[in-house]
Amino acid sequence: MPGPPTNPRATGGETAALVTQVMDELIRLLARDAAHPPAETCEEADARRRALVRLSVLAGVKQAVRRLEDQAARTAAANGAGYPEIGQAVSMSRQGARRRWPGLITNGRHRPHPHPTPRSP
């Protein structure tokens, strides 16, 4: 069985830190473009609005990342990866990967199921 996936560019923690930076910038830009509150709003209402815009953007990002993960898992399986490797790539067990993407790999042969069952958000 092939070894663990490698990424010579960044560790998981470094990747997470970089994504956090990028997301903070994206949220800042999107929040700037969001409807501006009326002039008479207080600082607390403005903080609430900013937090809700941030939450909305992050929910959309989570949905997009989920779709990209599903696509990458299908591609990995189509190219011979098994549940142990797929699980390791996303820091979960083989069983966790099997629960996340049921039917992705069947009969010991690495053939992707057309549409893995999405997990509830």
Side-chain angles (χ1 to χ4, degrees):
M1 181 168 280
T6 59
N7 181 356
R9 300 183 110 199
T11 66
E14 291 168 341
T15 299
L18 180 59
V19 169
T20 299
Q21 262 184 330
V22 170
M23 289 310 308
D24 281 342
E25 179 64 13
L26 175 63
I27 291 164
R28 187 184 65 73
L29 292 171
L30 291 173
R32 183 182 65 197
D33 292 339
H36 296 289
E40 68 271 9
T41 61
C42 67
E43 190 174 312
E44 187 176 290
D46 191 43
R48 180 177 59 241
R49 182 191 62 81
R50 284 193 313 268
L52 290 171
V53 167
R54 181 178 180 87
L55 183 60
S56 177
V57 170
L58 289 169
V61 167
K62 183 168 67 172
Q63 213 172 28
V65 167
R66 192 68 132 172
R67 283 192 299 268
L68 292 170
E69 282 178 336
D70 291 347
Q71 181 182 34
R74 286 192 303 272
T75 301
N79 286 286
Y83 281 119
E85 294 170 286
I86 292 170
Q88 185 177 21
V90 293
S91 300
M92 66 173 59
S93 68
R94 172 192 58 79
Q95 290 111 336
R98 187 179 298 249
R99 279 191 299 269
R100 168 81 189 275
W101 295 286
L104 188 63
I105 299 163
T106 58
N107 298 331
R109 295 168 51 194
H110 301 315
R111 290 202 176 169
H113 186 275
H115 299 289
T117 305
R119 202 171 95 192
S120 298

